[in-house]
Amino acid sequence: MECSENDCTRPACVELHIPWDENRIVCAAHARVLGRRDGVVADPDPERSDDLLEY
């Protein structure tokens, strides 16, 4: 599965739980940035742990 962010082809490995919007499945790079917002919870997929190290 690819990252749900526009124009990103990296593998999705983190589910972001976003209180004001639908949850998103994103790559590690987008999770690092989007996960810093207040109220957002990043939930890594343990089966995709190798993808967490990619940029």
Side-chain angles (χ1 to χ4, degrees):
M1 174 187 291
E2 286 187 0
C3 180
S4 65
E5 294 299 301
N6 292 335
D7 298 324
C8 184
T9 59
R10 294 183 182 108
C13 55
V14 178
E15 181 175 8
L16 295 180
H17 300 277
I18 305 170
W20 59 87
D21 201 359
E22 291 186 28
N23 293 350
R24 297 182 199 167
I25 307 294
V26 297
C27 65
H30 279 110
R32 285 184 195 101
V33 174
L34 299 172
R36 293 181 182 189
R37 294 181 176 172
D38 285 341
V40 174
V41 176
D43 186 18
D45 182 350
E47 294 180 14
R48 305 292 307 244
S49 60
D50 291 341
D51 295 329
L52 289 171
L53 301 175
E54 293 186 18
Y55 286 82

